[in-house]
Amino acid sequence: YQIHWGRRDASWFRGMFGKSKKYLAIGPLWSSHVQSLPRVRALLKDRQAQEKIKTVTAIAVFDTSFNLGAPYDGLGAQEFFDAIRELFDRPAWSSCLLLYKPKNDLALVRQGASIQMAASLDRLLAHPRCVLLDPEMSPEAVIAEADLTISMAFTSTTVEALGARRSALYFDPR
């Protein structure tokens, strides 16, 4: 068996030379779980952030891996970090709190980052309304907290947020 998001995805994999006999299209895998999660604002470790999030719109921001096999390289990551920072600098976004959930430990990200990408990441993290979440935190808990999810590339966090009937969009640099 292979399990896929949709019929089109399952159909594409059916055309590959795999050994699977059955291809199931079941939709997003954990979005129904997101819908059932209580909107418990206490998931954030930072007490100040807990107070801020009660009065503002929470925007979950998810990045992706940045390497040769990933959808985007360091330049794409730099564009993503800069664009998110620019959004949060706009007056219309002044009541929004950025919940940044990195896919990987930032120490590992920095090891492979260019000077420019690291500087863009640092500018984003320095934003006064940016809350850095633990990369081990479950994405579904973050999505349950958020009023909007922004993902770098069209990844599972976008699909799962939409499947949970949450607002979501993805960023595609270049």
Side-chain angles (χ1 to χ4, degrees):
Y1 284 90
Q2 284 191 21
I3 298 172
H4 297 275
W5 285 345
R7 281 179 257 137
R8 187 174 177 189
D9 185 45
S11 176
W12 185 82
F13 274 95
R14 195 174 288 118
M16 299 293 114
F17 297 103
K19 295 180 181 178
S20 298
K21 302 291 182 208
K22 298 205 180 216
Y23 297 81
L24 305 175
I26 63 169
L29 300 177
W30 39 259
S31 56
S32 59
H33 174 65
V34 170
Q35 289 178 307
S36 67
L37 286 173
R39 291 183 56 88
V40 179
R41 301 292 185 167
L43 78 85
L44 301 174
K45 292 178 182 177
D46 182 328
R47 188 76 181 151
Q48 181 184 15
Q50 287 177 9
E51 295 308 312
K52 284 182 184 177
I53 199 171
K54 289 177 183 174
T55 59
V56 299
T57 302
I59 310 295
V61 174
F62 294 89
D63 64 13
T64 188
S65 297
F66 310 115
N67 54 37
L68 293 175
Y72 297 102
D73 58 11
L75 182 58
Q78 179 183 338
E79 290 177 39
F80 176 68
F81 297 140
D82 288 344
I84 297 296
R85 173 68 197 224
E86 285 177 30
L87 274 178
F88 278 81
D89 284 342
R90 292 181 180 181
W93 288 64
S94 65
S95 64
C96 297
L97 183 67
L98 190 166
L99 305 177
Y100 173 47
K101 161 71 172 71
K103 182 171 184 172
N104 299 301
D105 184 296
L106 291 183
L108 296 174
V109 171
R110 287 178 194 285
Q111 285 178 356
S114 68
I115 293 170
Q116 295 87 351
M117 179 185 147
S120 292
L121 174 60
D122 289 340
R123 281 190 299 274
L124 179 65
L125 294 173
H127 195 283
R129 292 187 318 279
C130 179
V131 177
L132 175 62
L133 302 175
D134 187 328
E136 297 301 315
M137 185 176 285
S138 71
E140 63 266 28
V142 179
I143 289 170
E145 282 298 314
D147 299 295
L148 170 67
T149 294
I150 302 174
S151 305
M152 178 173 180
F154 188 71
T155 59
S156 60
T157 51
T158 306
V159 173
E160 296 292 353
L162 292 171
R165 309 254 187 263
R166 305 285 183 168
S167 296
L169 58 94
Y170 68 96
F171 178 87
D172 194 5
R174 296 178 214 152

